[in-house]
Amino acid sequence: MKLLKPTWINHDGKPIFAIDIHPDGCRLATGGQGDDSGRVVIWNMAPIVKEEDEKNENVPRMLCEMDNHLACVNCVRWSNNGLYLASAGDDRLVMIWQLMSYGGMSTPFGKSKANVEQWRCTSTLRHHAGDILDIAWSPHDAWLASCSVDNTVVIWNAVKFPEVLTVLTGHSGMVKGVTWDPIGKYLASQSDDKSIRVWRTVDWKEENKISKPFEECGGTTHVLRCSWSPDGHYIVSAHAMNNRGPTAQIIERDGWKFKMDFVGHRKAVTCVRFNSNIFSKVVRKGSTKPQQFSCCAIGSRDRAVSVWLTALKRPLVVVHDLFKNSVMDLAWSKSGTQLVACSWDGTVAFFDFEQDEIGHKLTQDEKTKLYEKIYGKNLSIHSGAANTVIENPDLLNLQKMQKEQQEKLAAKVQASPIKTPKKLITPIMDKPPTDVLSKQIETRTPDGRRRITPLYIGTQFNIGTPTVLFNNVPHPAFSPANQITPQSAFKEANKLNIKTEKEDSDSDSEDAKPISSLQNSIQPMSALDSRFTEKSKATSGTTPSANAAPDKSKVTPSPQSPTSVAAAAAAAACAAAAAAAASVSSDKNKDSTKIKDTPKTTTGSPSSLAGNKRKEEGTLRPGPKRPRKEYTKTVTEAKTGPRKGPMIGPLVTPPNQDTTPKVTTTASSKPRLKIPVPKTEKTLSVQVFVGNTVQPSVTLEVENDVSSGKVTLHRLKYVKAGDDLWETMLASRITIATGNRQFCAVASENKTVSVYTTGGRRKYSPIILSEPISRLHCGGCFLLVILSSARVFVWDIIKQVVLVKNETLAPIMPASGVSLVNASITEAGTIIITMSNEKSYTFNSDLCCWMMVHEKDNILQSCSDHQTSMPAQGAVQVHGPLASLQGKSSKFSASRVFQLSQQIQKSSTLSHLECQLNSALVLKSSKEYKFWLLTYVRYMVQEGAESRLREVCDEMLGPLYKDDANTSKWQSQILGYNKRKLLEEMMPIIGTNLKLQRLYSEYRDQLEMIKK
């Protein structure tokens, strides 16, 4: 072990109350007293660890100094990911710091030396009414806990500062220390009321109170920094007593017993800090089996620091008289071998241990396995979950469902790979062809004439795998069994006598869909890629150039030559296209008929047949082309019926028929949407509502395939507090069940929905639908049904009316990569649909359209600076569908993270607040609407946005006279609130800005006149 006291780490002789090492081990943060304010300093660890770096003048020692705190800083803590630094002090503020990569050098006030690194305060947390003495980040930085002399512990939402999740009250004295359970299940706090309280993070209620070890304690200490062991087994407290001697009490997680303690310090223990690593080494003599243990450092008012291993009965090391005053804080490095301590005397001590002295630390995988062995696998903290606060159990179930779907999809792709042919047909051309669709291009000249340019398609690599441009779901026809082989290609080439194929009426099954049916799901590529422009075709080698002499030899297909087969197919396509172009150019006034063309992948190369045909027609001569001035269209397939197998080349109408080529420009239709249908289970249990002291819990239990003699039925039971209240039988198997306090509903395999009252009586006859049911949800008196074809229905069960009828999800599912992950309906009958792109929508029945109410990583929210306009407890008091949706967002407001102009930030904030207000309105969430309305008004008053504020006031005030009120469409109520009552609540807010006093007087007088 090495011990060092770097004298250059100091606060100009003033006390240092807090210290912490960055997770990467490169920085050290200290907090304490400054000249006229609190001081936070970030130091470089390199000069501490290496002597040569300390002597090197080019290596900076102090990286940044921040003096934003108005009073002494009592605690500094790095987040576990190292992105943020939290500091708290006597000014009752918690500041969140982040390293900035923009801007110039900053210099602390009154200092001449500029900072090397730029750390800026991105969030300022205000809630405590007294000095803040300790703070702690939860595992994976989901929450931040702070404790104060106001006897409270505040839990902050670390992913959405400055939101307050809850305030823990219960201590009767100043709270001086907090620590988190390493698996995130508990939080422990120690107070001057001679107790440690353990709180559950599930409901933020008190789990237990331990006070007996602290009953003999006399006096107090400045801080009481307790700590939780990294394996979660123990809490070690500060300032305990045993037989009138100061100890650090060990509290076991199992039953919260306190039979052991760390003894040896001569004065009260002030701080305890566990090493975040779990170690392993052979401890007992004569044994070869390594033992797992934790390492703990203890600081005391006796100016000593001791280091303990939980596997040993005696301390590993004790350093007496290390400081001139009390030890205030301790910190371990992430590597586990470095320890730092700070003291009231303003100095810092550094310990460097060898690995043999402490032990070999477990890897992250070994720690995870240990946690799973002790606490089980259902730990969100170790399941790779994002730093997201789960406020609703449904959200956790949704994440699990998404993960299972991704795993199933990945397994399906690995189980059925698409094979690629080993032998590729070499194209007869200078350059390899691009993989494009065989679509001809029609252009209009300035004089109104139409010209068709044939597009040559060369050898197509990976014949059996078509390019699905805008769909992730491959077509069922393109399976390894349906790949085109040279034998099948030769058979198709024999059919190229320019005959249209017959429709096969027997190919109705989903597994035998024709290849031609894929065309409707493929978008034209000519507008997306420069390779499909006239210029690129003239230079890419895919069309005959002016210098290319056509080969006059005739190519005859043969069964032994796949190349000749492909050449014949391509030649037939080019010949037909040339004939069509010649016919169009020779007769302008003659209407054209359809050219039947199927965009299939083809093989082959340009042959002399196309060249001879062009020469005989004499219409398409090589030379400079006239640039296109109008627009480009694609000739799509006129006949979309199923065909008898895969095709090599496009089908072209024979020239000996009486029909004249006609160009059609119909747009390709989108692929049909499909939503997975739940798998039918043998048994199914759905909780209707959770019980309480007044009403017990109720569940719906489904049992399919109940045999009674030769009859098989399917049972639905309504169970209340374990007793079967009623049951009914159905003829078709039940796939989904849902219910609430007003009714129950089930979906069956025969595409029907059955609705029952809570007393067991069937409400309606079975509702017959056209597709299988994918989702079934209820809210209030409303029932939401989503079919597998992405069609949505909503019924009011009590009034027996339809609110949403056969609406499609196509507008909010623009691509096949976007899927439905969650659907629900609120008590007010509002649909909420959440997609895999983390966008949420609702349907507006009045406007008959979908509206987006939430989007993850909303840039307007990131640029918004409305936090100062929110009430202190607003984030805790307001709950609703909008808050539930936005609670999943892991991106906090970054208005102070990056620099914005004042005008842009103001406009962004107003836009964000208006979006929030309208989202709450369309979701029919009255409490959230009122909350965002008042926040919107506060910000407009703060920024002096008089024009917008006047519009809001006019909308709330309405017409002054009854005659005007009767003729106008103004409604006095909005979401159950009286608009004029809301305006009265807005008046005190408007009155806070003296620049708006005339506006205030105007509307105050009008409100009083209306009352009279």
Side-chain angles (χ1 to χ4, degrees):
M1 183 196 77
K2 298 179 181 178
L3 176 61
L4 173 68
K5 291 192 69 177
T7 56
W8 47 270
I9 299 181
N10 60 76
H11 284 200
D12 299 331
K14 294 180 174 58
I16 299 177
F17 292 110
I19 194 168
D20 201 23
I21 300 178
H22 193 276
D24 64 4
C26 298
R27 298 176 182 87
L28 175 72
T30 59
Q33 183 66 47
D35 293 333
D36 297 320
S37 61
R39 180 182 295 180
V40 178
V41 185
I42 298 177
W43 308 88
N44 189 1
M45 283 286 290
I48 304 176
V49 178
K50 296 181 181 180
E51 185 177 359
E52 55 267 26
D53 290 338
E54 185 178 16
K55 295 179 180 179
N56 190 350
E57 296 179 356
N58 296 325
V59 178
R61 296 181 177 181
M62 181 187 295
L63 300 179
C64 187
E65 181 179 0
M66 298 91 80
D67 54 359
N68 295 37
H69 278 280
L70 304 177
C72 179
V73 176
N74 294 318
C75 188
V76 291
R77 291 292 181 264
W78 294 100
S79 62
N80 295 284
N81 57 17
L83 296 178
Y84 308 105
L85 173 68
S87 61
D90 290 346
D91 56 358
R92 301 175 293 178
L93 301 178
V94 177
M95 293 187 180
I96 308 299
W97 305 86
Q98 186 176 9
L99 180 63
M100 298 291 105
S101 59
Y102 65 87
M105 305 290 287
S106 63
T107 304
F109 181 77
K111 304 290 183 179
S112 59
K113 191 174 182 180
N115 290 327
V116 178
E117 293 181 344
Q118 310 306 315
W119 289 82
R120 303 291 171 85
C121 179
T122 60
S123 297
T124 302
L125 313 182
R126 298 177 174 89
H127 187 277
H128 284 289
D131 303 353
I132 303 175
L133 298 179
D134 199 14
I135 52 178
W137 294 88
S138 70
H140 289 271
D141 307 325
W143 305 306
L144 177 68
S146 61
C147 62
S148 168
V149 298
D150 61 6
N151 305 351
T152 65
V153 177
V154 176
I155 309 299
W156 308 88
N157 186 353
V159 297
K160 199 177 180 182
F161 287 128
E163 179 181 334
V164 177
L165 288 180
T166 187
V167 179
L168 306 180
T169 58
H171 283 290
S172 58
M174 295 180 287
V175 187
K176 296 185 175 181
V178 287
T179 181
W180 289 93
D181 172 19
I183 64 170
K185 189 176 181 180
Y186 298 109
L187 171 72
S189 59
Q190 186 168 359
S191 169
D192 262 350
D193 61 2
K194 301 181 180 181
S195 71
I196 281 185
R197 295 175 187 261
V198 181
W199 313 84
R200 296 187 299 268
T201 59
V202 176
D203 54 3
W204 302 111
K205 302 296 183 183
E206 183 178 310
E207 174 75 11
N208 205 337
K209 176 184 176 182
I210 301 99
S211 57
K212 189 173 181 179
F214 314 101
E215 292 176 353
E216 300 178 7
C217 296
T220 183
T221 60
H222 182 71
V223 289
L224 297 171
R225 305 192 197 275
C226 51
S227 182
W228 211 306
S229 64
D231 57 6
H233 286 321
Y234 309 104
I235 306 173
V236 177
S237 72
H239 196 26
M241 297 291 287
N242 188 356
N243 292 329
R244 298 182 180 181
T247 65
Q249 187 65 48
I250 301 175
I251 302 171
E252 299 180 37
R253 183 193 191 99
D254 184 14
W256 311 112
K257 295 176 289 187
F258 40 88
K259 298 180 179 179
M260 300 178 292
D261 49 19
F262 292 123
V263 183
H265 285 280
R266 293 166 292 179
K267 292 185 179 181
V269 174
T270 57
C271 53
V272 179
R273 193 75 177 265
F274 266 97
N275 195 315
S276 61
N277 298 283
I278 301 175
F279 297 92
S280 175
K281 76 173 184 178
V282 178
V283 179
R284 298 180 181 179
K285 295 182 180 181
S287 175
T288 58
K289 185 178 180 180
Q291 183 178 350
Q292 294 179 353
F293 56 90
S294 302
C295 180
C296 176
I298 299 175
S300 170
R301 291 180 63 183
D302 61 0
R303 302 169 295 162
V305 173
S306 61
V307 179
W308 302 74
L309 304 181
T310 56
L312 300 177
K313 295 182 179 180
R314 294 184 177 273
L316 179 67
V317 62
V318 180
V319 181
H320 294 285
D321 300 326
L322 183 61
F323 300 102
K324 296 180 180 179
N325 211 323
S326 173
V327 181
M328 299 305 300
D329 202 6
L330 300 161
W332 289 92
S333 66
K334 197 74 174 179
S335 62
T337 58
Q338 297 172 349
L339 171 67
V340 289
C342 66
S343 170
W344 195 302
D345 62 11
T347 61
V348 170
F350 173 74
F351 301 80
D352 193 3
F353 294 92
E354 298 292 336
Q355 185 173 344
D356 297 338
E357 294 175 329
I358 296 183
H360 173 72
K361 69 175 184 178
L362 301 185
T363 63
Q364 186 61 42
D365 292 337
E366 291 174 338
K367 288 177 65 176
T368 302
K369 291 180 180 178
L370 178 63
Y371 288 137
E372 291 178 353
K373 181 180 178 181
I374 299 174
Y375 306 106
K377 294 184 178 181
N378 294 329
L379 295 175
S380 61
I381 204 91
H382 296 290
S383 60
N387 297 346
T388 305
V389 180
I390 304 299
E391 300 179 357
N392 194 317
D394 293 338
L395 301 181
L396 185 59
N397 296 333
L398 176 61
Q399 291 182 348
K400 293 180 180 179
M401 189 184 303
Q402 285 179 317
K403 186 177 180 181
E404 291 175 358
Q405 290 177 353
Q406 293 175 356
E407 293 176 352
K408 290 180 180 179
L409 182 60
K412 186 177 181 181
V413 172
Q414 294 177 0
S416 58
I418 299 177
K419 298 180 181 179
T420 304
K422 295 181 180 179
K423 295 183 179 180
L424 300 177
I425 303 174
T426 305
I428 309 174
M429 57 191 304
D430 295 336
K431 297 181 181 180
T434 56
D435 187 15
V436 298
L437 299 174
S438 56
K439 286 180 178 281
Q440 295 176 342
I441 300 175
E442 175 207 350
T443 58
R444 285 187 181 272
T445 59
D447 56 357
R449 292 182 296 175
R450 292 182 292 182
R451 293 189 181 277
I452 298 177
T453 303
L455 180 64
Y456 165 69
I457 301 298
T459 303
Q460 301 299 297
F461 296 92
N462 196 6
I463 298 174
T465 309
T467 304
V468 184
L469 301 177
F470 298 97
N471 292 317
N472 292 336
V473 182
H475 196 274
F478 292 101
S479 62
N482 295 332
Q483 292 184 9
I484 301 175
T485 61
Q487 290 77 9
S488 62
F490 175 69
K491 293 179 182 179
E492 293 299 329
N494 291 336
K495 297 180 183 179
L496 289 178
N497 295 328
I498 320 302
K499 294 181 180 179
T500 58
E501 291 190 19
K502 299 179 180 179
E503 294 184 2
D504 188 1
S505 59
D506 297 331
S507 59
D508 295 336
S509 63
E510 189 174 351
D511 296 332
K513 290 183 179 178
I515 300 178
S516 60
S517 63
L518 182 65
Q519 173 173 310
N520 291 335
S521 64
I522 300 180
Q523 303 289 338
M525 290 291 291
S526 58
L528 303 179
D529 200 326
S530 61
R531 295 178 295 179
F532 303 102
T533 61
E534 285 290 303
K535 181 178 179 180
S536 63
K537 283 185 291 215
T539 59
S540 64
T542 58
T543 57
S545 62
N547 299 326
D551 188 5
K552 297 183 181 181
S553 61
K554 192 172 184 178
V555 180
T556 305
S558 64
Q560 290 80 12
S561 176
T563 306
S564 59
V565 173
C574 295
S583 176
V584 171
S585 62
S586 61
D587 191 0
K588 295 185 293 182
N589 299 325
K590 191 174 182 179
D591 294 335
S592 59
T593 58
K594 294 182 180 179
I595 295 178
K596 297 184 178 180
D597 170 43
T598 307
K600 300 295 181 298
T601 55
T602 62
T603 56
S605 59
S607 64
S608 60
L609 183 59
N612 292 337
K613 186 66 178 178
R614 293 189 183 95
K615 190 173 182 180
E616 292 172 4
E617 294 293 335
T619 56
L620 296 177
R621 298 181 182 276
K625 297 182 179 180
R626 180 179 299 174
R628 302 175 182 176
K629 298 182 179 180
E630 295 293 322
Y631 53 85
T632 301
K633 294 184 179 180
T634 57
V635 180
T636 57
E637 181 187 22
K639 183 177 181 179
T640 58
R643 304 187 185 279
K644 281 187 177 179
M647 291 297 297
I648 296 296
L651 294 176
V652 186
T653 307
N656 56 358
Q657 293 186 3
D658 295 335
T659 57
T660 305
K662 182 179 180 181
V663 179
T664 58
T665 59
T666 57
S668 59
S669 61
K670 291 185 178 180
R672 187 181 180 186
L673 297 177
K674 281 288 184 181
I675 299 179
V677 177
K679 182 181 178 182
T680 305
E681 304 288 346
K682 171 66 177 176
T683 59
L684 181 66
S685 181
V686 178
Q687 191 168 35
V688 174
F689 56 85
V690 182
N692 50 39
T693 56
V694 180
Q695 291 184 346
S697 59
V698 174
T699 57
L700 283 175
E701 294 184 0
V702 174
E703 183 179 1
N704 288 316
D705 301 329
V706 179
S707 300
S708 177
K710 297 182 179 180
V711 179
T712 301
L713 297 174
H714 314 281
R715 179 185 291 121
L716 173 66
K717 292 194 299 183
Y718 189 86
V719 182
K720 186 175 183 180
D723 298 330
D724 298 346
L725 294 188
W726 55 266
E727 70 174 39
T728 186
M729 308 301 291
L730 286 85
S732 180
R733 301 178 75 187
I734 302 173
T735 58
I736 314 174
T738 185
N740 57 17
R741 299 178 186 272
Q742 300 189 33
F743 68 93
C744 306
V746 294
S748 302
E749 285 185 345
N750 61 354
K751 306 175 186 178
T752 62
V753 175
S754 301
V755 182
Y756 300 90
T757 64
T758 54
R761 181 173 54 89
R762 181 182 282 272
K763 187 74 174 177
Y764 307 119
S765 297
I767 302 173
I768 302 175
L769 299 169
S770 58
E771 299 287 341
I773 294 92
S774 175
R775 300 294 177 97
L776 189 69
H777 300 278
C778 62
C781 60
F782 305 97
L783 179 64
L784 167 65
V785 176
I786 301 180
L787 305 182
S788 61
S789 59
R791 294 283 175 173
V792 181
F793 293 84
V794 174
W795 294 290
D796 188 328
I797 300 302
I798 304 301
K799 297 181 180 179
Q800 301 185 18
V801 294
V802 60
L803 302 180
V804 178
K805 181 180 179 181
N806 202 25
E807 291 293 339
T808 179
L809 295 176
I812 59 178
M813 296 179 69
S816 59
V818 179
S819 59
L820 174 67
V821 297
N822 192 23
S824 61
I825 186 167
T826 65
E827 297 287 332
T830 304
I831 308 172
I832 299 177
I833 302 293
T834 303
M835 296 297 174
S836 57
N837 56 5
E838 301 193 52
K839 294 182 180 180
S840 298
Y841 305 87
T842 187
F843 188 78
N844 191 322
S845 302
D846 298 331
L847 301 178
C848 293
C849 63
W850 292 96
M851 293 184 173
M852 186 171 66
V853 294
H854 171 66
E855 179 182 11
K856 184 186 177 184
D857 298 338
N858 188 353
I859 188 64
L860 288 178
Q861 181 180 0
S862 302
C863 298
S864 177
D865 189 28
H866 65 275
Q867 287 79 11
T868 55
S869 302
M870 297 173 64
Q873 291 292 332
V876 182
Q877 293 175 355
V878 176
H879 297 283
L882 184 60
S884 298
L885 290 173
Q886 295 178 346
K888 298 184 291 183
S889 177
S890 59
K891 188 174 183 179
F892 66 91
S893 177
S895 58
R896 297 183 180 89
V897 177
F898 48 85
Q899 289 180 334
L900 290 174
S901 66
Q902 184 177 2
Q903 185 60 35
I904 291 178
Q905 191 171 50
K906 177 181 176 181
S907 302
S908 302
T909 304
L910 289 172
S911 298
H912 172 65
L913 292 175
E914 289 165 359
C915 290
Q916 294 290 96
L917 187 63
N918 288 296
S919 296
L921 180 62
V922 73
L923 290 174
K924 300 179 182 178
S925 177
S926 57
K927 293 183 179 179
E928 290 179 307
Y929 176 81
K930 181 179 178 180
F931 170 79
W932 287 111
L933 174 64
L934 297 180
T935 303
Y936 183 44
V937 171
R938 286 191 191 94
Y939 187 79
M940 288 190 294
V941 171
Q942 175 184 326
E943 298 296 328
E946 184 175 353
S947 59
R948 297 194 188 197
L949 185 59
R950 184 175 291 275
E951 285 187 359
V952 174
C953 293
D954 289 338
E955 183 180 348
M956 295 297 162
L957 182 63
L960 297 179
Y961 303 99
K962 292 183 179 180
D963 295 339
D964 296 338
N966 295 332
T967 57
S968 66
K969 296 182 180 180
W970 181 77
Q971 300 291 332
S972 61
Q973 298 285 329
I974 182 167
L975 298 182
Y977 290 110
N978 185 285
K979 290 184 177 180
R980 288 170 179 168
K981 294 286 186 181
L982 292 176
L983 182 58
E984 290 180 0
E985 294 187 36
M986 292 162 49
M987 285 295 101
I989 301 174
I990 299 175
T992 57
N993 190 345
L994 295 180
K995 294 181 180 180
L996 302 174
Q997 55 183 330
R998 293 185 179 180
L999 183 70
Y1000 172 82
S1001 301
E1002 177 184 345
Y1003 286 96
R1004 171 57 64 185
D1005 294 342
Q1006 294 185 44
L1007 284 174
E1008 292 179 356
M1009 184 178 64
I1010 291 174
K1011 290 181 179 179
K1012 294 179 181 179

